[in-house]
Amino acid sequence: MTVVVSGVGVVLPRARSAPELMAPVAEAPPVEPKDLVGRKGLRYKDRATQLAYCAADAALRHAGLLDDGGLRVPGGSIAVVASSNYGNLDTICRAIDTIAEQTAAAGSAMDLPNASSNVIASSVAIRFGLRGPNLMLCNGATSGLDAVHWAATLIRGGRASRALVLGVEPDNESVRAFTGGARTIDGAAALVVESGESAAERGASASAVLGDYVRGAGLGRTLERLARTAGDRPALWHLPEQRAAAVPDTLLEGVDRHDLAEVFGLGSGALGVLQCAAAVGWFAQGGAGPVYATAGTDADDASAGLALHGRAGA
Amino acid sequence: MSWAVTGMGAVAGVGGDVDELFHNLCAGRSGVAELRGFDHALHTAHHAYEVDNRPAPGVDVTRRATGLLLDAVGQAVRDAGLDESDLSGVPVLVGTGLRELRSVELWRTQGAEFPAAELHFGTALREAFQADDTHTLSNACSAGLYALALGVDLLAQGADTVVVAGVDVLTETMYGLLERVQPVPPTRVRPFDRDRDGVLMGEGAAAVVLSRVPGGRPVHGLVRDVAVNCDAFHVTAPDPAGIAEAIREAHSRGGVKPADIDLLMVHGTGTLLNDEAEATALADVFGPDRDKPLVTATKSMTGHTSGASGLLNLVVTLRCLAEGRVPPTVGLDDPVDEAEGFRFVTGEAAHRPLTVAQLNAFGFGGINAVAILEAAR
């Protein structure tokens, strides 16, 4: 079964569209969710969930699944797969500080759902009425690409016709302290992935086609396996976050490299989704595939790789 | 299509392996005890169902969830005859509600060393088993059965072997915030009882090995299928309609009717809202057949182990099917109106030949998972 990307939403300070992920605008202020989706429903939601609302709204509209009248397809046909490693750290830190300083009786009951790490995925489902399977990945460096993989798995398994894939990481004091001062993207990206058949049936256009996904120990081995399954040599390679271990020059020599983290900050759980959205932007501007998205270096527990193709490569 | 369970492992407050857990649950032994991990002065609730493995009373340490997970996965892969020193290429799916957030709390409050790479379980699974296809799924209290659904899908799409696990330990934030929404601090979990006070957290981990082809290994039981959905209704309150939909889909995927179900292993958290919603949904789907299956709720003895609960119930259910023995729901004396007509096992363990079981798990955000299991014969 062919699985395609039929919608994209990008909500970052320096990029509000897929092409801008490849060519970001100059310095910009932080994203203000109320300016994008209105104030309604934002109260008591953590920063990550608010950012996810914005990206979800943009992607569902771009895919033609949502308009001002609401969803245009049954809510049960849409799965949600969200990825974030640091999404609810701010809630956990604030709530534990309160307990330690003032006892549990001083805690806020409104924090209860936010203390469960799945709050992003389930809150998005509630806001948009998405009643299909609902997954929250908190899977380290590879998490965003893993989320795209699970969305495709759910579609291939007949559990949903389409899936909203979200990658989000918030920037706040708790996250910076936990990551040793790193600045995250403080934004979100979303994809609508869909069976080719389902997209064709409703007249939606595919902006990219998902190719093979591989996962394993070590970036070099992951790239080798991706090359074996994907066939063609890539035209563009999205690099993993490098942290301690540099990506050797010998890997995919001569292939254009792109490092989203260099421009946007620590992508972490959102990185893979950002990379797929950037591939869509690259295709839209005439790039010919394949594009390799990769996450996780030899310093991480594993690497993941995903090949994406332009429509012509389908 | 059914998928064979060829390995099982478990650890909880009432048992350190599957045999001990099942034996103690059938004997009606509860793991409830005085709260061990947190400072009592900071909490009004003082009970929980913890695993008693801290270095000293009141002394909490990082990575306890990881430790329980590795224990359960190790048991399961050894039981299945896999090489535990090399799980490379074998998908390991871990369902969890709270991942290593207790370690984050100890970093925050006590300055404990805890790197970001250990917030998910892949790093430890790689070190312990050379596992490199690992997935930490943070799906609240239905995480274990959600992971099971994904494992079944991987097998259906060509994988030979998948390890599915669930794990959680208490976090002080979740424990403390639950105190804010329950009028009286419970001293034990009493699912479906009119006098229940609410939920208490528990700790545990469970793991199973699913095999496309058992290859001569003993088979503990079969997973016929798993349904997953989302109510899209409320961040904490369950929706009976969404739950009923998940149960109907599970029956359809598993090729069974309500009258075919011999055992209902219910979610049964002992909270006012959850038990009512679950009983209402079950009554709706089972209708006149509600008196056919035996029904039990193990959280009465394990507490609510969150992401571990679905898979702890899975290994218990497979033992029930294999042995024709069902643990009682301890503390259920006077069932709520919504549960009227169901055959809850109370008092002592029930004995009866069993073939097909239904297993429920529901989580915050209305994420529902329902599995249909079958005895291996």
Side-chain angles (χ1 to χ4, degrees):
Chain A
M1 179 194 288
T2 306
V3 179
V4 302
V5 179
S6 58
V8 181
V10 177
V11 182
L12 295 173
R14 297 181 60 196
R16 296 296 166 88
S17 68
E20 282 181 3
L21 283 171
M22 297 300 293
V25 301
E27 283 303 321
V31 174
E32 276 290 352
K34 65 177 170 33
D35 296 343
L36 298 177
V37 294
R39 285 179 188 279
K40 196 176 170 193
L42 299 187
R43 201 173 176 210
Y44 302 125
K45 295 299 175 191
D46 59 28
R47 173 85 177 155
T49 301
Q50 293 185 0
L51 292 167
Y53 282 169
C54 300
D57 186 85
L60 290 170
R61 285 177 190 274
H62 184 230
L65 295 173
L66 177 75
D67 59 24
D68 290 343
L71 278 184
R72 300 183 63 192
V73 295
S77 73
I78 308 180
V80 176
V81 186
S83 169
S84 182
N85 290 316
Y86 307 126
N88 67 342
L89 277 196
D90 51 350
T91 298
I92 299 301
C93 290
R94 187 180 62 253
I96 196 70
D97 288 351
T98 302
I99 292 171
E101 290 158 15
Q102 304 173 58
T103 81
S108 165
M110 301 312 293
D111 273 338
L112 180 61
N114 300 347
S116 183
S117 300
N118 74 319
V119 65
I120 300 167
S122 56
S123 295
V124 166
I126 292 165
R127 185 176 180 98
F128 296 98
L130 312 178
R131 296 171 56 90
N134 190 276
L135 296 181
M136 184 75 218
L137 271 286
C138 299
N139 203 37
T142 60
S143 198
L145 290 180
D146 299 331
V148 178
H149 157 69
W150 287 116
T153 303
L154 290 171
I155 291 166
R156 291 189 180 111
R159 292 190 184 273
S161 302
R162 46 195 74 89
L164 174 68
V165 185
L166 288 154
V168 55
E169 292 294 2
D171 179 42
N172 53 53
E173 176 275 326
S174 304
V175 175
R176 270 183 245 165
F178 187 65
T179 57
R183 296 292 289 261
T184 70
I185 56 167
D186 198 39
L191 309 169
V192 172
V193 298
E194 184 161 15
S195 71
E197 194 182 26
S198 155
E201 262 173 26
R202 62 185 192 88
S205 65
S207 45
V209 179
L210 297 187
D212 289 295
Y213 160 89
V214 299
R215 204 174 187 291
L219 183 60
R221 266 180 60 192
T222 296
L223 286 171
E224 279 170 27
R225 289 178 56 204
L226 196 56
R228 272 203 304 276
T229 55
D232 293 345
R233 191 173 160 79
L236 178 69
W237 176 22
H238 284 296
L239 299 176
E241 258 150 6
Q242 298 185 37
R243 298 196 299 156
V247 174
D249 292 337
T250 49
L251 293 176
L252 291 178
E253 268 185 289
V255 173
D256 280 347
R257 296 176 170 203
H258 198 82
D259 183 358
L260 286 164
E262 200 174 276
V263 179
F264 296 104
L266 185 68
S268 193
L271 179 68
V273 185
L274 243 58
Q275 291 175 332
C276 293
V280 168
W282 192 71
F283 292 137
Q285 299 203 314
V291 174
Y292 281 6
T294 57
T297 68
D298 295 358
D300 295 296
D301 56 302
S303 298
L306 177 72
L308 295 107
H309 306 276
R311 274 178 296 172
Chain B
M1 194 80 196
S2 293
W3 310 103
V5 176
T6 53
M8 302 201 295
V11 54
V14 277
D17 58 36
V18 177
D19 286 343
E20 191 181 26
L21 174 70
F22 189 64
H23 175 79
N24 283 339
L25 293 181
C26 286
R29 289 195 189 106
S30 170
V32 75
E34 285 269 315
L35 186 63
R36 296 182 177 106
F38 313 144
D39 179 354
H40 283 215
L42 300 176
H43 298 273
T44 51
H46 289 150
H47 291 82
Y49 299 72
E50 293 164 277
V51 174
D52 190 10
N53 67 352
R54 291 185 179 84
V59 177
D60 209 355
V61 293
T62 59
R63 300 173 178 83
R64 285 183 67 250
T66 299
L68 298 187
L69 174 70
L70 297 182
D71 186 353
V73 170
Q75 291 178 33
V77 299
R78 284 192 295 277
D79 184 33
L82 299 180
D83 177 3
E84 66 177 310
S85 68
D86 185 11
L87 291 183
S88 56
V90 176
V92 182
L93 317 184
V94 183
T96 179
L98 304 164
R99 40 191 178 136
E100 271 292 0
L101 289 176
R102 177 57 183 155
S103 296
V104 172
E105 293 174 353
L106 292 168
W107 158 78
R108 183 80 175 187
T109 55
Q110 299 178 17
E113 176 271 331
F114 186 70
E118 296 189 20
L119 197 48
H120 70 300
F121 298 111
T123 303
L125 289 165
R126 170 86 183 274
E127 284 169 10
F129 306 113
Q130 285 299 310
D132 56 10
D133 190 5
T134 56
H135 300 268
T136 298
L137 253 168
S138 299
N139 254 41
C141 304
S142 61
L145 290 196
Y146 249 88
L148 184 70
L150 298 182
V152 161
D153 284 0
L154 289 184
L155 291 169
Q157 292 172 38
D160 291 325
T161 305
V162 180
V163 178
V164 180
V167 65
D168 263 310
V169 298
L170 268 60
T171 64
E172 192 162 6
T173 48
M174 185 60 80
Y175 188 87
L177 290 166
L178 284 169
E179 289 174 56
R180 297 285 294 118
V181 298
Q182 301 185 136
V184 182
T187 53
R188 57 181 174 145
V189 176
R190 304 181 67 182
F192 299 97
D193 192 88
R194 214 175 280 277
D195 290 331
R196 67 197 186 283
D197 295 323
V199 71
L200 280 173
M201 294 174 72
E203 299 185 327
V208 293
V209 176
L210 301 176
S211 301
R212 164 185 287 279
V213 181
R217 299 292 307 178
V219 173
H220 295 295
L222 304 170
V223 179
R224 289 182 78 150
D225 216 323
V226 191
V228 288
N229 76 358
C230 177
D231 298 343
F233 174 69
H234 191 270
V235 280
T236 53
D239 173 27
I243 293 172
E245 205 174 302
I247 296 170
R248 288 198 173 92
E249 188 189 332
H251 288 181
S252 165
R253 282 178 166 268
V256 295
K257 304 183 294 297
D260 299 328
I261 308 288
D262 300 313
L263 172 64
L264 264 174
M265 184 66 76
V266 292
H267 188 60
T269 59
T271 60
L272 300 180
L273 276 176
N274 277 282
D275 288 358
E276 279 182 19
E278 182 170 22
T280 300
L282 286 168
D284 177 24
V285 176
F286 279 74
D289 293 318
R290 74 176 69 178
D291 62 344
K292 299 211 165 47
L294 295 178
V295 186
T296 197
T298 64
K299 289 184 183 67
S300 60
M301 291 175 279
T302 64
H304 195 348
T305 56
S306 188
S309 65
L311 287 179
L312 278 170
N313 274 338
L314 172 60
V315 302
V316 170
T317 302
L318 291 181
R319 271 299 168 83
C320 293
L321 294 176
E323 297 187 19
R325 192 154 59 117
V326 180
T329 306
V330 172
L332 173 52
D333 301 326
D334 185 9
V336 292
D337 291 341
E338 291 81 0
E340 194 183 341
F342 284 99
R343 297 176 64 193
F344 276 94
V345 180
T346 56
E348 294 184 345
H351 293 77
R352 177 173 149 183
L354 306 163
T355 303
V356 177
Q358 175 187 324
L359 182 51
N360 293 347
F362 315 121
F364 273 178
I367 49 176
N368 308 310
V370 180
I372 303 297
L373 309 176
E374 185 181 352
R377 296 278 189 254

